[in-house]
């Protein structure tokens, strides 16, 4: 069996935890809100890109425009290769000077994963 902690140590741990709870809960709530907002913005961006693609394909099918898809793929390649670095920079900006960055990060991930 483990040793029973001293009452003074328990009281010290309780007061330290109680003092940190507002920051932790605020960080988690703000992280959750940012995660949900980023998720909604991502969906809006994907829907817009899909609708734009459909419109361009309809115009190409009708013979109104000609699209060089290989050139577009060449031009967009660097953007997709930079995506992981972009995500790290976004996270760095969102957690800059936050005392509750850990709780914020956990809330952010939860907000990105939540289903509606």
């Amino acid at each position: 069996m483990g040793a029973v902690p001293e009452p003074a140590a328990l009281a010290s741990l309780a007061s330290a935890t109680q003092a940190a709870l507002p920051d932790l809960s605020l960080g988690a709530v703000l992280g959750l809100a940012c995660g949900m907002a980023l998720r909604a913005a991502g969906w809006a961006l994907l829907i817009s890109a899909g609708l734009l693609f459909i419109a361009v394909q309809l115009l190409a099918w009708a013979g109104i425009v000609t699209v060089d898809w290989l050139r577009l793929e060449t031009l967009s390649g660097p953007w997709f290769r930079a995506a992981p670095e972009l995500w790290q920079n976004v996270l760095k900006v969102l957690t800059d000077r936050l005392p509750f960055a850990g709780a914020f990060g956990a809330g952010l991930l939860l907000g990105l994963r939540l289903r509606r």
Side-chain angles (χ1 to χ4, degrees):
M1 289 194 140
V4 176
E6 300 271 333
L10 285 176
S12 174
L13 178 63
S15 68
T17 305
Q18 190 175 23
L21 277 178
D23 283 343
L24 291 176
S25 61
L26 177 63
V29 168
L30 291 176
L32 180 70
C34 284
M36 293 179 77
L38 286 173
R39 184 180 169 101
W43 276 111
L45 182 66
L46 287 174
I47 290 170
S48 299
L51 290 173
L52 179 63
F53 172 74
I54 291 169
V56 168
Q57 277 297 94
L58 285 172
L59 292 172
W61 176 75
I64 298 171
V65 298
T66 303
V67 181
D68 185 356
W69 290 110
L70 293 176
R71 176 81 173 129
L72 182 62
E73 184 179 5
T74 303
L75 291 173
S76 64
W79 288 80
F80 290 109
R81 282 191 291 280
E85 184 179 311
L86 176 67
W87 173 249
Q88 289 173 349
N89 288 338
V90 166
L91 196 57
K92 209 180 289 183
V93 167
L94 290 177
T95 58
D96 185 47
R97 289 181 257 172
L98 285 183
F100 45 78
F104 180 88
L108 179 70
L109 290 176
L110 181 63
L112 289 171
R113 302 277 308 174
L114 272 180
R115 304 272 182 229
R116 290 187 210 191

